[in-house]
Amino acid sequence: MHRIILVAYPGIQTLDVAGPGEAFGTASRLEPGASYAVVLASSAGKTIETTCGFGIRTARLERMRLRAGDTVLVSGGSDEAIRRALADAKLVAWLARAGGIVRRIGSVCSGAFLLARAGLLDGRRVATHWAACETLARYRPAARVDRNAIFVRDGTVWTSAGVTTGIDMALAMVEDDYGQAIADRVAAQLVLYARRPGFQSQFSDALLAQTQAGDPLGAIIARARTELRSLDVPRLAKLAGLSGRTLHRRCREHLGTTPAKLVERLRVEHARTLLSTTARSLKSIAHESGFSTGERMRRAFQRELGMRPREIRLLFSARHAA
DNA sequence: TGAAAATACCGCCAGC
DNA sequence: CAGCTGGCGGTATTTT
């Protein structure tokens, strides 16, 4: 039996607790092989209100006797709620203590600020909501904020980007505990379209959203993904049926990027997946992703992710070995 | 590492 | 006329 302690405070984001809570709860309820006890706790231990006005009952944090096998997950909340929570010395101290005891400690969305405050993110690679990345990097310079990840596992510390990605992260924990088959069945039960690995960027989600919105660019992106090996800006324009100039404008207004950057991102994304799921040589991965040489791939990775391909492989291959 | 060559970016503008 | 398109070309960035 794994205990999951969801840490709450007034003004938390409803989905940040409900998502992971249901993921673990579903696993426990439907999978004979899996067993979780999910508890909600807050500093005051009362009924607290979430962002949308739901009242949820919480146990008192201090009453929790921490065990080495526990998992602690801190929810995100509104700016105001986070600010108040950061000032809650008891809460921060409890988290700091938990960090030294439990097997896994993590956050969803802006909950990362509380872990940062407790000193748990120093020297770690972490994820948070895209709109909060810069603020977190400034708030705690010792934390290495990965702007692309939807969730990151760095040793015992797990962080996720925001709301629904908390579910992806919870499922990765289920996989860690009970294997992929069970995690996949839970995902199916929750009717998740596809389970996303942590390295899949928030940027991809934006692209996916465009696709579903029926935006012409969405279809172009899908096409482009299949032709990475012979793609440059004029070619992309041709696929899109637009002039270079107009394609440029569309990319700016819909995706906040430029055509060449878009192509580069798609290439990096593709290569990144291959790096972490196969043992193929960097050179062959570079070639398949449309980089003429390994050197060019390395430079693109540095620009897009601030990391070298080799580092990506090292960081993510451990996860897959488990 | 450095410099030349290639490619991309984007303000501007005429044309639809 | 407003609003969108796409060509031009100087500057910036990336590649070789």
Side-chain angles (χ1 to χ4, degrees):
Chain A
M1 160 84 71
H2 291 94
R3 186 167 64 160
I4 310 288
I5 303 174
L6 299 176
V7 178
Y9 45 87
I12 52 162
Q13 163 73 44
T14 318
L15 285 170
D16 286 358
V17 283
E22 284 299 330
F24 290 117
T26 300
S28 203
R29 202 167 62 249
L30 298 180
E31 293 294 331
S35 174
Y36 290 103
V38 182
V39 297
L40 249 176
S42 71
S43 215
K46 297 178 184 157
T47 293
I48 60 178
E49 198 163 296
T50 71
T51 39
C52 68
F54 290 175
I56 56 172
R57 213 169 44 238
T58 64
R60 193 194 302 250
L61 268 185
E62 291 170 343
R63 294 259 183 80
M64 297 280 144
R65 186 152 308 141
L66 286 163
R67 296 189 292 253
D70 290 342
T71 296
V72 171
L73 267 186
V74 187
S75 307
S78 64
D79 289 358
E80 180 54 32
I82 285 287
R83 219 168 294 127
R84 277 199 306 265
L86 285 171
D88 182 342
K90 272 200 308 188
L91 172 59
V92 173
W94 188 90
L95 288 172
R97 199 161 61 83
I101 298 172
V102 302
R103 182 169 68 111
R104 285 186 301 223
I105 188 160
S107 64
V108 180
C109 199
S110 52
F113 283 85
L114 285 164
L115 295 186
R117 182 74 204 278
L120 296 171
L121 301 187
D122 294 352
R124 306 271 188 183
R125 210 164 59 81
V126 303
T128 190
H129 192 276
W130 58 268
C133 285
E134 300 311 322
T135 318
L136 181 61
R138 258 182 282 119
Y139 180 74
R140 199 74 182 190
R144 297 176 55 203
V145 180
D146 183 334
R147 288 157 182 75
N148 289 295
I150 65 169
F151 69 85
V152 170
R153 170 193 189 171
D154 189 337
T156 56
V157 177
W158 300 57
T159 44
S160 76
V163 285
T164 59
T165 61
I167 299 177
D168 292 297
M169 186 170 77
L171 287 169
M173 290 179 173
V174 172
E175 177 174 342
D176 221 40
D177 296 337
Y178 298 112
Q180 189 184 347
I182 286 183
D184 282 344
R185 282 201 297 275
V186 174
Q189 184 62 36
L190 294 171
V191 202
L192 283 190
Y193 180 67
R195 258 200 324 130
R196 298 174 289 188
F199 53 76
Q200 193 171 95
S201 71
Q202 298 183 47
F203 176 76
S204 288
D205 296 341
L207 294 181
L208 216 63
Q210 292 296 346
T211 304
Q212 288 163 351
D215 189 286
L217 274 183
I220 301 320
I221 289 161
R223 283 292 304 282
R225 281 196 166 121
T226 68
E227 304 196 21
L228 287 176
R229 294 176 63 165
S230 56
L231 208 58
D232 53 12
V233 173
R235 176 111 183 85
L236 188 64
K238 191 160 290 176
L239 283 178
L242 299 169
S243 71
R245 193 68 191 79
T246 298
L247 174 67
H248 184 262
R249 276 195 278 253
R250 291 286 176 280
C251 282
R252 290 242 103 198
E253 59 198 346
H254 291 281
L255 303 173
T257 186
T258 61
K261 287 281 178 236
L262 170 62
V263 170
E264 182 166 285
R265 278 176 155 160
L266 292 173
R267 288 199 167 121
V268 167
E269 192 176 87
H270 184 80
R272 188 180 202 183
T273 303
L274 291 176
L275 279 167
S276 47
T277 55
T278 74
R280 292 169 49 185
S281 73
L282 296 198
K283 192 172 163 187
S284 90
I285 288 174
H287 191 246
E288 181 177 320
S289 307
F291 298 108
S292 50
T293 66
E295 170 68 12
R296 285 192 50 200
M297 175 164 80
R298 194 180 63 72
R299 284 170 180 268
F301 267 64
Q302 204 69 59
R303 269 194 298 271
E304 297 293 325
L305 310 172
M307 273 192 274
R308 287 176 264 268
R310 172 172 291 281
E311 297 178 300
I312 296 286
R313 172 163 276 169
L314 283 173
L315 271 169
F316 289 104
S317 52
R319 210 178 80 79
H320 286 269

